[in-house]
Amino acid sequence: MIGTAADKPIHVLDLPQIYEKPSGTELLKALALLTLQPRSFGITADAVKGPAVQPEGVTRYLTSIISSPLSWLDTEELQEAIWDAASARLSERSGRTAMPAMSRIFSIPNSSGEEHTLTLHEPSLTSDNLGMKTWVSSYLLSRRLHKLLESPAELVPTSSTEPSTPNDKQLRALELGSGTGLVGLSFAALKGKSATIHLTDLPEIVPNLAHNASLNVELMKTTGASVTTGVLDWSVTPNPLPTAEERFDVILAADPLYSPLHPKLLVDTIGPWFSRGLDARVVTEMPLRAAYLPQVAEFRQRMLDLGLAVVEEGEEVGYDDWENSSGEALAVKCWWSVWGWSEKV
Ligand SMILES: C[S@@+](CC[C@H](N)C(=O)[O-])C[C@H]1O[C@@H](n2cnc3c(N)ncnc32)[C@H](O)[C@@H]1O
């Protein structure tokens, strides 16, 4: 009998074997048991649930199905469905970058201790489309946002003109490098009608970002949030430069540095788009991966050179949805920071 995910993991030899010519239904059930979800980003490693089937021999088992003609099955459709499922299970075992498309659910707390539930679509990944996946620092930042939004330096609109209608009082927020949009959509859910947010990324990422905004339209309606999406490429200098009214009171960015060019590009983008008000804030979180530490240091220096100062910062550990070769969750140390204009500027 096939066990369930709640049981102790079963051995692959307990699954129906190709030489036994199992029915299509039995094979599909076995393949469903072998589904690997990406690890949920836990705050602790314990949050991670183990597999239903022990990993030893699973690749060989899947290959035996893919290479079998499955000639005893009644229809070509059934054969195709089994080959497709076996291929998907094999892809999942090649790392998150090879995983098929999926929808993921994220819970984001608000200041009353309630949780907002966001649904995000993550298309199948290719190595040059990192924005198709949700990264651990964006999850940590989204869960921290409600505290940052309530911090003593309460974020307020920095419009230079006196507000004349309720809309004028809305905080204007911009997210850079939104990817799947977790941080920006969390911000929108938390701030509700007191803010508008524009989620941005490169042209190839924006269609999925827009799709994710529409997936969460019910939550946005309930909270009264206003979300737009669009292309904002950091390597393109805005021309003409944004006017005071077009600048943003809050700029958010999670995991934005993974090339030596990124610190300069990002800070050069923040400069023109960031409101000049003393209450305006840039909020970022990024992993402190060894290979990218020089870029994090350069980002910090460039922000200081721009005239910004750290208002609040800290480090925390999350668990990425990658795993090491032993199937253990990978701890990732992340740095979060809130920046405002230094009064000396
Ligand atoms: C590592 S991903 C992080 C995505 C998302 N913020 C998260 O944490 O889940 C980096 C994001 O930066 C975007 N990006 C990289 N270079 C960019 C550029 N020149 N202009 C705008 N976005 C860029 C990528 O497309 C990608 O979505």
Side-chain angles (χ1 to χ4, degrees):
M1 201 187 104
I2 296 177
T4 67
D7 299 333
K8 201 163 164 268
I10 59 171
H11 194 275
V12 75
L13 291 177
D14 295 327
L15 298 176
Q17 304 295 311
I18 283 295
Y19 67 84
E20 299 168 327
K21 300 192 175 168
S23 71
T25 310
E26 284 176 299
L27 277 174
L28 285 171
K29 271 192 190 161
L31 289 167
L33 265 190
L34 289 168
T35 304
L36 281 187
Q37 290 297 322
R39 292 180 175 284
S40 47
F41 300 109
I43 308 292
T44 67
D46 308 337
V48 177
K49 201 161 78 176
V53 181
Q54 292 169 24
E56 294 77 31
V58 170
T59 305
R60 203 173 325 114
Y61 178 71
L62 292 171
T63 314
S64 76
I65 297 175
I66 292 166
S67 58
S68 162
L70 303 177
S71 48
W72 63 94
L73 299 180
D74 291 334
T75 63
E76 277 181 20
E77 286 76 11
L78 193 51
Q79 292 167 337
E80 293 281 353
I82 291 165
W83 287 322
D84 284 351
S87 307
R89 300 296 84 81
L90 204 55
S91 297
E92 289 161 6
R93 284 163 175 79
S94 311
R96 175 62 187 94
T97 47
M99 276 199 181
M102 64 182 77
S103 290
R104 302 176 75 178
I105 307 281
F106 294 89
S107 269
I108 303 303
N110 66 17
S111 49
S112 320
E114 294 150 1
E115 302 261 337
H116 291 299
T117 302
L118 287 161
T119 308
L120 299 182
H121 179 70
E122 297 188 1
S124 184
L125 293 180
T126 59
S127 55
D128 53 353
N129 274 351
L130 300 184
M132 298 300 195
K133 174 192 169 338
T134 308
W135 297 82
V136 64
S137 56
S138 71
Y139 175 70
L140 295 178
L141 181 56
S142 300
R143 292 194 61 89
R144 174 173 292 283
L145 266 185
H146 71 98
K147 292 186 210 152
L148 299 179
L149 298 173
E150 284 170 350
S151 58
E154 169 79 22
L155 298 170
V156 293
T158 52
S159 164
S160 53
T161 52
E162 277 298 306
S164 55
T165 69
N167 267 355
D168 289 337
K169 288 187 192 148
Q170 284 181 310
L171 200 66
R172 281 171 47 79
L174 169 72
E175 187 183 10
L176 297 173
S178 300
T180 58
L182 180 59
V183 171
L185 291 171
S186 301
F187 178 91
L190 292 167
K191 291 306 279 185
K193 56 181 182 309
S194 65
T196 64
I197 183 156
H198 189 49
L199 278 58
T200 66
D201 209 297
L202 292 170
E204 58 273 28
I205 304 299
V206 169
N208 185 60
L209 184 57
H211 176 67
N212 282 343
S214 58
L215 275 181
N216 293 285
V217 76
E218 285 181 356
L219 174 61
M220 298 308 147
K221 268 195 191 148
T222 318
T223 56
S226 162
V227 178
T228 51
T229 56
V231 173
L232 198 161
D233 182 344
W234 315 331
S235 63
V236 178
T237 307
N239 183 16
L241 286 172
T243 61
E245 288 70 33
E246 286 168 336
R247 292 190 195 125
F248 291 90
D249 307 302
V250 178
I251 295 185
L252 301 163
D255 203 351
L257 308 177
Y258 54 93
S259 131
L261 299 177
H262 282 157
K264 176 169 169 34
L265 291 182
L266 191 69
V267 178
D268 286 356
T269 303
I270 291 171
W273 285 111
F274 191 39
S275 164
R276 297 298 181 260
L278 284 181
D279 292 321
R281 294 288 180 265
V282 177
V283 180
T284 72
E285 180 139 2
M286 52 195 81
L288 296 173
R289 298 186 201 279
Y292 298 134
L293 289 180
Q295 288 160 38
V296 175
E298 185 185 336
F299 169 78
R300 183 190 277 272
Q301 188 56 51
R302 285 184 179 277
M303 291 287 275
L304 295 171
D305 294 345
L306 185 65
L308 293 165
V310 172
V311 178
E312 256 186 290
E313 65 181 320
E315 290 182 4
E316 59 189 331
V317 173
Y319 290 85
D320 216 339
D321 56 348
W322 311 90
E323 43 187 60
N324 65 17
S325 52
S326 322
E328 289 158 354
L330 287 183
V332 184
K333 198 189 326 170
C334 295
W335 170 56
W336 59 269
S337 58
V338 180
W339 298 76
W341 292 108
S342 152
E343 297 204 34
K344 285 174 275 175
V345 175

